[in-house]
């Protein structure tokens, strides 16, 4: 049992074409302050209108996270002052969010981990500040309101995560989920997925300790490092007889440490009150059912299908659904007639292994589902051995037809058994010492003879055939 208690809050930017409450373009990387209007700039008299598409995306995410949907979820004003928030308040959901009490289950280690979701709600984003030079000495700041009013879904977990590795795996799984259902790019470097973590060390009696929040982590790695640092800092502090202070800290990328922020930021009173300009978000069972039906499959659902229909292991199904590209690639190969198990093994072990070695990735090479399925089918039909197939991988990745390469390199399997019998005979003749030992009862040596014959065949003989013919020959000794 870990002594750590971790909870995570994630903000996901939804991919709707326009912002949450106005018609401005919702896009990343445009010229600053070009996608703005009286509504998102908070000019007097401007009235917000809810974005139907963004609302649907929020519902999709809530359903994908197995949440209970609240059919009436009112909007509130969260009041605070900051230069990136021209209205002086943020429109958000509060006491009754759109979804509650869900969970996300994902592959972790050799098994699965389930993280319980407390709530998911919709809100609008703030603008973005740019400080010139070193933030502590900066003499000027600029603000871009393009992001102001962009649709966000906030997802809060229960404090049920026990290690920094689990936290990182949860973030990875959540990003994968939003990409699969197509509601967000999930790109952390563009700020489309941002996370805050809170962490505490349990008291000796098992009760929760004082929690510390680390805000604005912008990569999976930063989240993990910040948690590792905090775990150590808090454990050391407690071991020395100190007490952990409830506070918000920020993570310093260059040193891997966290540092306290001004304590008065702890004393926020947001004066929430119902948004008078907007009706509550209202949904009903039939709308929810319709969204559920039309929604793309989640990685979890696809993995389940792979296990059931193709007989893949839970682990393999998890690896194949780790990103959308790999899943689509695999499915295309199977559609082309390649056997699922063999395709899975070539794709996740041989190809990925080769990619890792060469620093490549799917989509960066000339490898297509057609080329890989051709290779797998050659193995499936017994025309080339597994061993030979592995040697062709660099060629297939470079865009060559495996059948052509196999023929050119003379790798097509020796189907003529008399040729293999001849090889068995030679191996037995060439290894009298081992033959003698075998005769004296060292039967484990059959493996040695099989290996020698396979080697002599240059990987062109099928292992099962060689095994059968070697055993027959040895039994006649
Ligand atoms: Zn606007």
């Amino acid at each position: 049992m870990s002594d750590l208690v971790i909870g995570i809050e994630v903000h996901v930017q939804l991919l709707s074409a326009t912002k949450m409450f106005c018609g401005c373009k919702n896009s990343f990387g445009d010229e600053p302050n070009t996608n703005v209007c009286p509504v998102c700039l908070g000019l007097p008299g401007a009235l917000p209108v809810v974005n139907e598409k963004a609302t649907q995306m929020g519902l999709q995410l809530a359903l994908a996270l197995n949440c209970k949907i609240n059919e009436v979820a009112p909007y509130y004003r969260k009041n605070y002052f900051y230069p990136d928030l021209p209205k002086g308040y943020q429109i958000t959901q509060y006491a009754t969010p759109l979804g509650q009490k869900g969970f996300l289950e994902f592959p972790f280690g050799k098994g699965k981990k389930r993280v319980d979701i407390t709530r998911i709600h919709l809100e609008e984003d703030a603008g973005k500040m740019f400080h010139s030079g070193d933030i502590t000495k900066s003499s000027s700041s600029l603000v871009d309101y393009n992001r102001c009013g962009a649709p966000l879904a906030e997802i809060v977990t229960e404090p049920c995560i026990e290690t920094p590795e689990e936290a990182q795996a949860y973030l990875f799984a959540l990003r994968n989920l939003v990409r699969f259902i197509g509601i967000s790019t999930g790109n952390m470097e563009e700020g489309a997925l941002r996370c805050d973590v809170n962490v505490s060390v349990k008291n000796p009696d098992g009760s929760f300790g004082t929690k510390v929040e680390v805000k604005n982590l912008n990569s999976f790695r930063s989240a993990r490092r910040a948690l590792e640092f905090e775990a150590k800092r808090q454990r050391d502090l407690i071991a020395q007889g100190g007490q952990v202070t409830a506070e918000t800290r920020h993570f310093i990328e260059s040193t891997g440490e966290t540092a306290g922020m001004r304590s008065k930021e702890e004393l926020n009173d947001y004066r929430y009150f119902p948004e008078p300009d907007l009706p509550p978000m209202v949904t009903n069972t039939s709308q929810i059912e319709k969204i559920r039906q039309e929604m793309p499959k989640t990685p979890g659902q696809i993995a389940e299908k792979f296990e059931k229909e193709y007989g893949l292991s839970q682990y393999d199904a998890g690896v194949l659904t780790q990103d959308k590209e790999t899943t689509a690639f695999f499915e295309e190969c199977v559609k082309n007639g390649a056997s699922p198990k063999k395709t899975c093994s070539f794709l996740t072990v041989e190809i990925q292994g080769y990619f890792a070695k060469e620093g490549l990735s799917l989509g960066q090479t000339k490898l297509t589902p057609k080329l890989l399925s051709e290779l797998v089918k050659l193995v499936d039909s017994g025309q080339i051995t597994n061993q030979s197939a592995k040697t062709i991988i660099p060629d297939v990745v470079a865009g060559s037809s495996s059948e052509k390469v196999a023929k050119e390199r003379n790798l097509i399997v020796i189907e003529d058994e008399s040729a293999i019998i001849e090889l068995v005979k030679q191996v037995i003749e060439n290894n009298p010492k081992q033959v003698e030992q075998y005769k004296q009862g060292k039967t484990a040596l059959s493996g040695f003879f099989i290996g020698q014959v396979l080697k002599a065949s240059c990987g062109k003989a099928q292992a099962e055939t060689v095994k059968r013919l070697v055993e027959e020959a040895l039994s006649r000794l």
Side-chain angles (χ1 to χ4, degrees), residues 185-425:
T185 63
N187 289 341
M188 288 185 96
E189 61 278 16
E190 294 176 359
L193 195 148
R194 286 167 259 156
C195 88
D196 305 334
V197 296
N198 58 67
V199 52
S200 65
V201 174
K202 279 186 201 158
N203 297 317
D205 65 1
S207 60
F208 286 9
T210 308
K211 77 177 177 191
V212 167
E213 190 180 25
V214 187
K215 276 185 123 45
N216 300 325
L217 297 159
N218 55 16
S219 73
F220 294 152
R221 197 166 159 265
S222 301
R224 182 175 167 160
R225 286 172 74 210
L227 285 167
E228 281 165 353
F229 179 82
E230 265 308 301
K232 184 172 184 314
R233 187 186 71 86
Q234 293 182 27
R235 282 174 185 145
D236 289 352
L237 194 62
I238 295 165
Q240 286 158 16
Q243 267 188 338
V244 176
T245 316
E247 61 178 342
T248 300
R249 298 173 74 86
H250 68 272
F251 179 63
I252 307 158
E253 201 71 55
S254 55
T255 59
E257 295 176 352
T258 67
M261 302 193 342
R262 283 164 301 144
S263 57
K264 67 178 177 194
E265 290 197 74
E266 298 303 306
L267 304 169
N268 284 323
D269 177 357
Y270 295 119
R271 308 264 162 168
Y272 281 96
F273 66 85
E275 166 60 62
D277 293 337
L278 284 173
M281 175 177 165
V282 179
T283 39
N284 59 43
T285 320
S286 67
Q287 276 174 310
I288 294 168
E289 228 15 75
K290 188 164 177 278
I291 291 175
R292 199 194 296 274
Q293 305 269 319
E294 291 170 356
M295 212 165 92
K297 295 246 178 309
T298 65
Q301 288 169 328
I302 297 171
E304 213 176 289
K305 180 186 128 182
F306 286 174
E307 285 177 51
K308 262 196 208 134
E309 286 181 18
Y310 302 148
L312 298 180
S313 69
Q314 184 189 302
Y315 176 82
D316 282 342
V319 175
L320 285 173
T321 49
Q322 252 173 20
D323 67 86
K324 224 174 147 179
E325 217 180 356
T326 306
T327 306
F329 197 99
F330 170 78
E331 287 193 302
E332 194 61 35
C333 288
V334 175
K335 212 188 278 170
N336 287 342
S339 69
K341 276 191 185 168
K342 203 52 112 200
T343 304
C344 171
S345 133
F346 270 93
L347 191 56
T348 64
V349 182
E350 308 304 337
I351 303 274
Q352 299 290 9
Y354 179 69
F355 281 175
K357 206 174 76 195
E358 302 290 321
L360 299 168
S361 69
L362 212 56
Q364 261 187 354
T365 69
K366 287 187 177 158
L367 181 69
T368 60
K370 189 167 168 276
L371 288 173
L372 181 62
S373 35
E374 186 192 349
L375 178 71
V376 173
K377 283 194 278 186
L378 282 180
V379 181
D380 281 341
S381 62
Q383 288 173 270
I384 61 172
T385 64
N386 227 20
Q387 203 47 43
S388 302
K390 287 179 195 174
T391 66
I392 305 180
I393 282 176
D395 305 273
V396 178
V397 168
S400 302
S401 146
S402 42
E403 193 169 356
K404 193 165 153 267
V405 177
K407 280 185 180 148
E408 278 168 9
R409 302 225 186 116
N410 195 20
L411 293 172
I412 301 296
V413 157
I414 309 169
E415 285 193 39
D416 179 8
E417 283 197 9
S418 63
I420 302 172
I421 290 170
E422 190 51 41
L423 290 175
V424 175
K425 218 171 112 192

